Amino acid sequence: MPNRLADATSPYLQQHADNPVDWWEWGPEAFAEARRRDVPILLSVGYAACHWCHVMAHESFEDDLVAAAVNADFVPVKVDREERPDVDSVYMAATTALTGQGGWPMTCLLTPDGDPFFAGTYFPKPQFLQLLGQASAVWREQRDRVLESSTHIASRLREITTATTPLPIDAEGLDRAAAILRGQFDDARGGFGGAPKFPPSMVLEFLLRHHARTGSADALAMVGATCEAMARGGMYDQLGGGFARYSVDADWVVPHFEKMLYDNAQLLRVYAHWLRATGSPLARRVVRETADFLVRDLRTTEGGFASALDADTVVDGHSSEGLTYVWTPAQLVDVLGDEDGRRVASLLGVTETGTFEHGTSTLQLRSDPDDEQWWYAARERLLAARAERPQPARDDKVVTSWNGLAIAALADAAVITGDQELLEIASRAAEFVVDTHLVDGRLRRSSKDGRVGQPAGVADDYGNLAEGLLALNQATGDPRWLGIAKDLLDTAVESFAAEDGGFHDTPADGEQLLLRPRNQADNAEPSGQSALAGALLTCSALTGVPVMRERADAALAAAGQLATRDPRFGGWALAVAEAAAAGPLQVAVVSPTPDDPRARKLLAITRAATSPGLVIAPGAPDTPGTPLLAERPLVAGGAAAYVCRGFVCDAPVTEPGDLRNALAR
């Protein structure tokens, strides 16, 4: 019989709905049950695309012996870390403090009041059974020691999450951060540090903006080398587009095969901005292919974007990582014939010994093919053949924050490449998320199949969705998106503000957890604090509301210590600080009609500019809800561009050359 998870909006929880373990969702009912039975909570945290979560589920949670031990002496609670990042953050802090490391699946034992007294990650079945037996005995026989330990752990966790000393990120700090990154850069392979290598999306965005503001050749070179290495290696899907989560090696050859929305959204935006800065043909190809991947493989029927594709492919009940994606020379010949198969094997680095497991190889495109038309025909045949293989599962959960990242990326890619269809797709995603996830003025974290979940939105949901809507506003000129973004930011400032000027992850009126989480590091995605800082900065430039700029500056200062000391974990804060240092540079392009040819030329010139402080307001003069267009008349009845700094504008220009000169000043 299905357990309590059958009706969950999380695909990860639904994966465990038929376990013999008597799972509960996180909530007061589970803790009340633990108090009633006088037993500990067994907290298990993971996510749908997690390889080792699947392994532990198969070994332990699907096993009757393990289930009997769990059900007898614990109240088991299953949490999707992507649906409840607040719960994950609190207990990951405990796990890291107790063990020195973290990861998923995360396994914690809690008192019925939620205080942790044991934490770890993956346990093989024998060790897990041993843990359950020992923990149950200690709970029964040494309760006082358990409670004393859990109280001490909870107290210590609260101490280490206190406010930081603000440090404004000035031009000197930005230069210092870039220099630190230069010292950590892998000149031979691109990227930073050794294996495993994660795509440094936000760091690359910072370096692109640093180059645009300062002209630093080093900054642009690090971006170019890293973007090229990632796009030519096995971490990039050479057939279907899109990036895997990370590379297990330093050379970007073997990926961890899960493909996450947040990675691909951020990388799509980075490659679009790299294309704008350099005109790189490789960047243009990656932008097109990654956008195709998002739309083809992650877009839901409602118009939003699903969270991820699994790392594993399941065949006959057994999971196999990478099965969908890897090839042998013989398999290439089977699809393409002898001559083309061998030619593609040479081009993509597919060898008899293999670069992955069991003689299979990941696909690398280390150099461009001599005949692009031949290659693209072969690529389509291989992609069609791959579609006949077993496919990884998709996590259909639509997360507010990550959809905000996707909306921003698609909007930017659309205006940089001129692909109007991408703009329409971004607009549809925005409509779905706003219409479904915004409930009574407050955001919810996620939905599935159009049904919104109960978990409240956290800070990065507000910041990243506002960022996406502001990018969409600048791409379309539709004032609706600016208005909604401003309302979201007003709510966020009221709900998430911290005493030091930064932001907590959870709202002041939200569920009271063991502690109020506040992650200040930009890790796989922007922290809530950095996301809100960036959106507040952009919104202030578009609306002229000075308090938004003040709040953005305060949030950046709250992030300043970490970002300037360890810039690999402060990439988005540094990128936002670059925008603050360079701006606001505001350009209003007024047009007599939506498709006026002169207005299109002026907009194209403006959108080709790389200043990180640039914001754009296209539309008719005095468009309601667009402050930058107020009192900006047409010139002689025709289109004109107003270049402004802090709402103080130069004389309007109507000629492309004059606009280029004005933007260059």
Side-chain angles (χ1 to χ4, degrees), residues 602-619:
L602 296 174
L603 273 174
I605 291 166
T606 306
R607 287 167 171 159
T610 58
S611 170
L614 174 68
V615 297
I616 305 171

Side-chain angles (χ1 to χ4, degrees), residues 129-418:
L129 279 170
Q130 185 179 25
L131 167 65
L132 295 173
Q134 291 175 345
S136 177
V138 169
W139 179 258
R140 289 193 308 269
E141 300 164 10
Q142 302 179 48
R143 181 77 58 89
D144 290 345
R145 286 182 56 191
V146 172
L147 295 178
E148 181 182 356
S149 174
S150 66
T151 300
H152 173 74
I153 293 167
S155 176
R156 180 66 185 131
L157 287 173
R158 294 185 184 101
E159 288 176 10
I160 63 178
T161 56
T162 55
T164 59
T165 302
L167 177 68
I169 307 177
D170 57 14
E172 182 180 346
L174 292 167
D175 289 343
R176 187 166 59 250
I180 292 172
L181 289 168
R182 185 64 190 86
Q184 298 171 338
F185 184 67
D186 185 342
D187 288 285
R189 306 172 185 87
F192 301 89
K197 270 189 176 164
F198 290 81
S201 310
M202 291 163 284
V203 167
L204 296 176
E205 183 66 32
F206 158 58
L207 292 171
L208 277 168
R209 295 183 181 193
H210 190 66
H211 164 72
R213 184 178 64 85
T214 68
S216 167
D218 259 354
L220 186 60
M222 285 188 280
V223 172
T226 303
C227 283
E228 178 150 4
M230 290 193 301
R232 293 196 179 282
M235 199 182 79
Y236 182 68
D237 185 344
Q238 304 296 344
L239 299 184
F243 292 84
R245 177 71 192 93
Y246 62 87
S247 173
V248 301
D249 61 285
D251 291 296
W252 310 101
V253 175
V254 178
H256 183 50
F257 288 91
E258 59 188 345
K259 295 168 83 171
M260 314 301 294
L261 174 60
Y262 55 76
D263 283 322
N264 283 282
Q266 292 177 94
L267 287 166
L268 172 59
R269 203 177 190 193
V270 165
Y271 277 87
H273 293 172
W274 184 42
L275 170 62
R276 181 177 61 192
T278 66
S280 162
L282 176 61
R284 186 176 297 278
R285 174 171 68 81
V286 172
V287 167
R288 182 184 69 249
E289 292 173 359
T290 302
D292 286 347
F293 159 71
L294 288 178
V295 175
R296 180 188 66 240
D297 292 348
L298 292 184
R299 194 180 188 205
T300 68
T301 55
E302 296 82 17
F305 290 92
S307 295
L309 295 184
D310 207 322
D312 295 355
T313 302
V314 178
V315 180
D316 297 328
H318 297 286
S319 295
S320 177
E321 188 176 8
L323 178 68
T324 304
Y325 301 104
V326 295
W327 295 79
T328 64
Q331 289 171 334
L332 294 175
V333 168
D334 284 345
V335 175
L336 300 174
D338 188 71
E339 181 180 349
D340 283 348
R342 294 182 185 282
R343 187 178 175 187
V344 166
S346 176
L347 178 68
L348 298 179
V350 178
T351 65
E352 294 294 341
T353 54
T355 57
F356 184 52
E357 298 173 348
H358 313 300
T360 63
S361 294
T362 62
L363 304 186
Q364 305 170 66
L365 188 61
R366 296 296 180 177
S367 59
D368 291 328
D370 297 331
D371 185 339
E372 284 198 3
Q373 187 174 359
W374 163 82
W375 159 238
Y376 281 113
R379 179 177 177 265
E380 288 303 309
R381 291 167 66 190
L382 291 172
L383 187 60
R386 193 178 80 179
E388 298 300 317
R389 295 177 172 182
Q391 298 296 305
R394 187 173 83 167
D395 181 342
D396 283 332
K397 179 173 72 271
V398 174
V399 174
T400 302
S401 174
W402 306 344
N403 274 257
L405 295 173
I407 291 163
L410 290 166
D412 283 7
V415 297
I416 290 168
T417 65

